[in-house]
Amino acid sequence: MAIVKVIEVIAASEKGWEDAAKNGVKEASKTLKNIKSAWISDQKLIIDDGEIKEYRVILKISFEIS
């Protein structure tokens, strides 16, 4: 039986939601092994002068621990 842990991370991108999610998984994988899945639990926009400056996502990342 595998034990899976879930952590929450905030990731950002100037390009879009998908890119923000990719950035979050890429950074998390530098220190976490056995990442099994990730899902976006929330999204946020940073707006300056009426323009979107940054897309942010809150990711829940699950990984198997040994």
Side-chain angles (χ1 to χ4, degrees):
M1 180 174 137
I3 303 295
V4 177
K5 184 172 185 171
V6 177
I7 63 165
E8 191 172 81
V9 299
I10 299 171
S13 169
E14 294 178 355
K15 296 178 186 176
W17 308 112
E18 185 177 344
D19 196 52
K22 286 179 182 179
N23 290 343
V25 171
K26 184 177 178 181
E27 284 298 312
S29 68
K30 290 179 181 179
T31 57
L32 297 174
K33 304 298 177 211
N34 301 318
I35 293 177
K36 298 299 180 188
S37 68
W39 66 95
I40 297 172
S41 67
D42 203 1
Q43 299 172 317
K44 181 178 180 179
L45 291 171
I46 302 302
I47 299 172
D48 185 27
D49 242 358
E51 298 287 326
I52 297 172
K53 297 299 178 185
E54 192 172 66
Y55 297 83
R56 291 185 183 171
V57 294
I58 297 177
L59 288 172
K60 302 233 180 191
I61 299 177
S62 66
F63 58 100
E64 191 173 313
I65 54 177
S66 27

